[in-house]
Amino acid sequence: MHIKTTKCNRFCLVASVTNRELFHHSEVQAGFEALFRSFDSEVQFQYFKSFRRIRISFRDALAAAEARLRLHKTDFNGKEMRLYFAQVISVGRNLRQNQPPKPEKQFLISPPASPPVGWEQSQDATPVINYDLLCAISKLGPGGKYELHTATPTTPSVVVHVCDDDRGDSSAPDDSDQDDKPRPPRPKIIQTRRPDYTPRVEQ
């Protein structure tokens, strides 16, 4: 976006003052405003304390010019006062530079503002469940095997082997038997001993 200063506002002055009392005491402000009301009785003031500036708006451009001519670099309350015409700032309107990208190019933005032209949401495929494989695996016991994929001249076969039970009992453990057995005691956590502190003697 291009910013360009074009011309001055002939109806508005900006006063640059270094006297801080002007922004805190109403009596000093009344004396300051009286200087400009002699040129225009309906002049308006806007105080910007952080910038030490005062915006002075006139109804007549000639009154603003006369006030600037007579009061510029004059003494007010022991400090020099400077007056400037407010500047009008126009923002350039280059439509070719400020336009958003074309819809077919917006998918390059992350995240994209909109999908590219012709894009359609894909439907999730139905999950494939091999019930024969699940049935065969459920019938397997310890030591058994099941061939998932038959070997071909170019690929090996895939075979699932079921491990034997270490206890020699293929039956599933009963939860009631485990409840009757006493649980092993939990190991006690030994706290780390704090090291001894020896005060350092300076020599």
Side-chain angles (χ1 to χ4, degrees), residues 87-138:
Q87 294 180 343
V88 179
I89 300 178
S90 62
V91 179
R93 297 180 180 179
N94 193 337
L95 300 180
R96 295 183 179 179
Q97 295 182 358
N98 296 335
Q99 285 184 348
K102 297 180 180 181
E104 59 269 16
K105 298 293 184 179
Q106 292 185 6
F107 70 94
L108 298 175
I109 306 174
S110 179
S114 60
V117 178
W119 180 86
E120 295 181 359
Q121 184 176 2
S122 60
Q123 301 294 332
D124 295 338
T126 304
V128 179
I129 303 176
N130 193 341
Y131 293 98
D132 295 336
L133 176 61
L134 296 178
C135 181
I137 293 178
S138 63

Side-chain angles (χ1 to χ4, degrees), residues 62-81:
L62 295 178
E66 186 178 1
R68 200 264 178 182
L69 182 63
R70 295 188 179 184
L71 301 178
H72 180 57
K73 290 188 177 182
T74 58
D75 182 80
F76 174 76
N77 202 14
K79 300 290 184 179
E80 185 184 46
M81 175 178 59

Side-chain angles (χ1 to χ4, degrees), residues 137-148:
I137 293 178
S138 63
K139 295 178 180 180
L140 287 177
K145 62 180 181 179
Y146 180 75
E147 187 176 9
L148 300 180

